Amino acid sequence: MANKTAGKIAAELLKEWNIDHVYGMPGDSVNEFIDELRHEENSLRFIQVRHEETAALAAAADAKLTGKIGVCLSIAGPGAVHLLNGLYDAKADGAPVLAITGQVSSDEIGRDYFQEIGLERMFEDVALFNQQVHSAEALPDLLNQAIRTAYSQKGAAVLSVSDDLFAEKIKRKPVYTSALYIEGDLEPKKSQLMQCAQLINQAKKPVILAGRGMKSARDELLEFADKAAAPIIVTLPAKGVVPDRHPHMLGNLGHIGTKPAYEAMEESDLLIMLGTSFPYRDYLPEDAPAIQLDNNPAKIGKRYPVTAGLVCDAKKGLFELTKTIERKSNRAFLESCIQHMRKWRYEVEKDEQVATEPLKPQQVIARLEDAVADDAVLSVDVGNVTVWTARHFNMTNQDFLISSWLGTMGCGLPGAISAKLSHPERQVVAVCGDGGFSMSMHDFPTAVKYELPIVVVILNNQNLGMIQYEQQEKGHVNYATALENVDYAKFAEACGGKGFSVTKHEELIPALKSAFHSQKPSIIDVAIEDEPPLPGKISYTQAVNYSKYMIKKLVEKKELDLPPLKKSLKRIF
């Protein structure tokens, strides 16, 4: 390592950390490091994006999908600013990400130079590790510390480096740190197991709320649920943890959720939270006792007053808890939940199977489910499309990528790019609304450039559908939600990909088949009916506010006609 440049050593350390690609854009404050990456392109690919926000969102998606740290790179000033949204997404979803940003030359710092901003102050809120590198010799040690912190604390780490430091030679090896992070398995304590088991054994209506922390413990979760006679509800980022058609499965909770999930929570006499810190208190039981399992003690009782906690590894903890509890002989509550879910599915699937014109979003998602492979990756954008996919795509062994806590529109395409780079052998689909896709469509040419045959399905209602519905839910008349239409199929062709326009039901399946057989990135632009994704269970406040919206709308149009008004209100009660 002696007499190598700091940039060369940094590139070698990234490889030691098992990192094989970096997202970003070149520029004058990272060009020395870019040149080092050029020499490493066979083992450390630099993925040139069109916008740094895509780089950070793709890096976060890397971490969510693979568990490995994602890495993004930007110049100082505007490039670093563009990273913020993706880094906040990583922070919110607990995804380890490293951002390396350039900075003005070390002898210009503090002199209000071109593109100089206070990077450490700017990244202070988002980054768990946030350091300006002041010397070439410090870079290797700080790089190792940054990566280790991102892994151990599950979030974003930022290193800001003046480009001239990358070109300086280092005469010694890093002395303080190494490229190594070891994660131990937390054993559950016997006293915690016994306390939890006692509550479970006493409960007559236990309900499981499983989060993303259960992704590595599917078998253990299903065995536990069977022995405890408990239905399973999953959080949005945990979709796919349990196959959607498993008998115990009641779907999601909250605005995107199902009516059986809502009702099970209302009836529950014991809430069992596994690997989640669910934020929406209104959808949890009023005062039921609760058990919470998490590998982070700070999460226990953070959002719900728990009675007992279990701090441990998901697999080991559930395995030991299952051994400790009694098998429930009274399974009446579980059987009732299963029956409610069957009825719910029957009603939901009616909308999926009819052929309407224009198409309904439910129909598109159902046909997509039929078309994709069992091990596909779905990168789902934020908006109405999130609700339709969560409710109507029944996952088996697919992976589900989403910006869950930050909920940032535009995440679908970067997630798909990430998934195809990480798993080139798997089918990858981005499911987007036209509003979300248009926020990141500039990077569709990135998929073309790197020959990533992803399929982007756009549910196009020429509207910011979720925002429109939120305005109605508040009792407001819709304003500034309509979108000028774009021919996304022609856009795909102009970028060098494949484009398909779908306006009729009979066009959808052939378009899906053609796109999946194409060796190029493809966009399927599907014109859909503008339909609100009503909650599985509508609250009294939502009903009242929606009534206010309908009255305001009709009054403004001077069409206050009671029969149509009654018909509109009937849909929501």
Side-chain angles (χ1 to χ4, degrees), residues 468-514:
Q468 173 181 267
Y469 176 69
E470 288 168 348
Q471 290 178 350
Q472 296 172 9
E473 196 179 27
K474 293 288 186 181
H476 302 312
V477 174
N478 292 132
Y479 179 70
T481 57
L483 297 174
E484 288 298 314
N485 194 33
V486 174
D487 190 330
Y488 294 105
K490 286 185 178 178
F491 168 75
E493 298 284 350
C495 293
K498 289 284 189 179
F500 305 88
S501 289
V502 174
T503 58
K504 299 177 181 177
H505 196 276
E506 59 267 26
E507 297 171 342
L508 179 57
I509 293 175
L512 285 166
K513 287 181 178 178
S514 297

Side-chain angles (χ1 to χ4, degrees), residues 239 244-245 250-252 256-261 339-354 360-367 369 387-394 531 533-537:
K239 183 173 173 65
D244 279 307
R245 292 192 182 277
L250 300 185
N252 293 110
I256 64 167
T258 68
K259 186 177 180 182
Q339 289 302 319
H340 289 166
M341 193 61 186
R342 283 176 182 162
K343 291 178 182 177
W344 164 265
R345 286 195 184 283
Y346 176 77
E347 292 301 321
V348 165
E349 287 172 359
K350 286 182 181 178
D351 286 337
E352 297 174 358
Q353 301 308 322
V354 295
K360 290 178 177 287
Q362 306 95 308
Q363 298 161 11
V364 181
I365 299 301
R367 301 295 80 74
E369 180 191 332
V387 184
W388 300 127
T389 309
R391 284 195 194 152
H392 295 276
F393 192 102
N394 294 288
E531 181 171 336
L534 297 177
K537 182 78 172 181

Side-chain angles (χ1 to χ4, degrees), residues 5 16-17 88 93 104 157 171 186-187 256 277 352 370 397 407 422 431 434 459-460 506 513 531 539 562:
T5 65
E16 278 192 54
W17 280 103
Y88 271 106
D93 282 353
V104 300
K171 297 179 180 179
L186 289 171
E187 295 282 351
I256 64 167
S277 184
E352 297 174 358
D370 294 338
N397 296 304
S422 297
V431 187
D434 50 324
L459 303 187
N460 189 347
E506 59 267 26
K513 287 181 178 178
E531 181 171 336
S539 70
L562 288 179

Side-chain angles (χ1 to χ4, degrees), residues 45-92:
R45 295 178 73 191
F46 180 70
I47 306 300
Q48 176 217 48
V49 297
R50 299 298 182 96
H51 195 288
E52 292 90 352
E53 182 181 5
T54 299
L57 286 170
D62 278 0
K64 293 176 194 179
L65 184 60
T66 68
K68 289 169 51 180
I69 193 166
V71 183
C72 52
L73 173 69
S74 80
I75 64 167
V81 172
H82 287 163
L83 293 177
L84 279 172
N85 194 42
L87 295 183
Y88 271 106
D89 175 65
K91 175 186 178 179

Side-chain angles (χ1 to χ4, degrees), residues 229-492:
I232 301 170
I233 300 167
V234 297
T235 64
L236 178 61
K239 183 173 173 65
V241 165
V242 175
D244 279 307
R245 292 192 182 277
H246 189 278
H248 283 251
M249 182 65 166
L250 300 185
N252 293 110
L253 189 64
H255 183 87
I256 64 167
T258 68
K259 186 177 180 182
Y262 183 97
E263 292 174 342
M265 278 295 178
E266 284 191 322
E267 289 188 54
S268 174
D269 63 359
L270 178 66
L271 173 61
I272 306 172
M273 294 186 290
L274 304 175
T276 181
S277 184
F278 189 75
Y280 303 110
R281 182 64 179 83
D282 290 347
Y283 291 99
L284 298 178
E286 284 291 328
D287 55 4
I291 292 167
Q292 186 173 0
L293 181 154
D294 206 287
N295 63 3
N296 183 353
K299 297 284 182 69
I300 304 293
K302 182 177 180 179
R303 303 183 190 279
Y304 190 89
V306 303
T307 312
L310 197 57
V311 180
C312 58
D313 170 76
K315 290 176 72 73
K316 287 191 174 183
L318 266 186
F319 178 76
E320 292 298 330
L321 187 58
T322 304
K323 287 201 306 183
T324 307
I325 65 173
E326 301 168 357
R327 181 175 179 80
K328 286 196 181 296
S329 56
N330 183 350
R331 309 176 83 79
F333 176 64
L334 174 62
E335 292 299 329
S336 173
C337 290
I338 290 172
Q339 289 302 319
H340 289 166
M341 193 61 186
R342 283 176 182 162
K343 291 178 182 177
W344 164 265
R345 286 195 184 283
Y346 176 77
E347 292 301 321
V348 165
E349 287 172 359
K350 286 182 181 178
D351 286 337
E352 297 174 358
Q353 301 308 322
V354 295
T356 62
E357 196 172 314
L359 286 97
K360 290 178 177 287
Q362 306 95 308
Q363 298 161 11
V364 181
I365 299 301
R367 301 295 80 74
L368 178 63
E369 180 191 332
D370 294 338
V372 301
D374 189 57
D375 67 341
V377 180
L378 268 68
S379 178
V380 181
D381 220 305
V382 169
N384 281 355
V385 67
T386 314
V387 184
W388 300 127
T389 309
R391 284 195 194 152
H392 295 276
F393 192 102
N394 294 288
M395 299 188 73
T396 50
N397 296 304
Q398 294 93 355
D399 277 302
F400 185 83
L401 277 174
I402 187 76
S403 173
S404 57
W405 275 72
L406 188 63
T408 182
M409 292 172 66
C411 66
L413 178 61
I417 290 170
S418 157
K420 200 62 181 178
L421 284 166
S422 297
H423 296 291
E425 77 288 354
R426 294 173 67 179
Q427 207 176 62
V428 175
V429 186
V431 187
C432 307
D434 50 324
F437 181 73
S438 61
M439 286 190 173
S440 57
M441 60 191 286
H442 46 71
D443 266 292
F444 186 76
T446 301
V448 174
K449 175 177 180 176
Y450 292 102
E451 299 180 345
L452 305 174
I454 62 174
V455 174
V456 181
V457 177
I458 300 176
L459 303 187
N460 189 347
N461 61 355
Q462 300 180 40
N463 213 329
L464 295 170
M466 178 63 77
I467 297 169
Q468 173 181 267
Y469 176 69
E470 288 168 348
Q471 290 178 350
Q472 296 172 9
E473 196 179 27
K474 293 288 186 181
H476 302 312
V477 174
N478 292 132
Y479 179 70
T481 57
L483 297 174
E484 288 298 314
N485 194 33
V486 174
D487 190 330
Y488 294 105
K490 286 185 178 178
F491 168 75

Side-chain angles (χ1 to χ4, degrees), residues 29 111 148 322 495:
S29 56
R111 297 165 67 180
R148 190 177 295 106
T322 304
C495 293

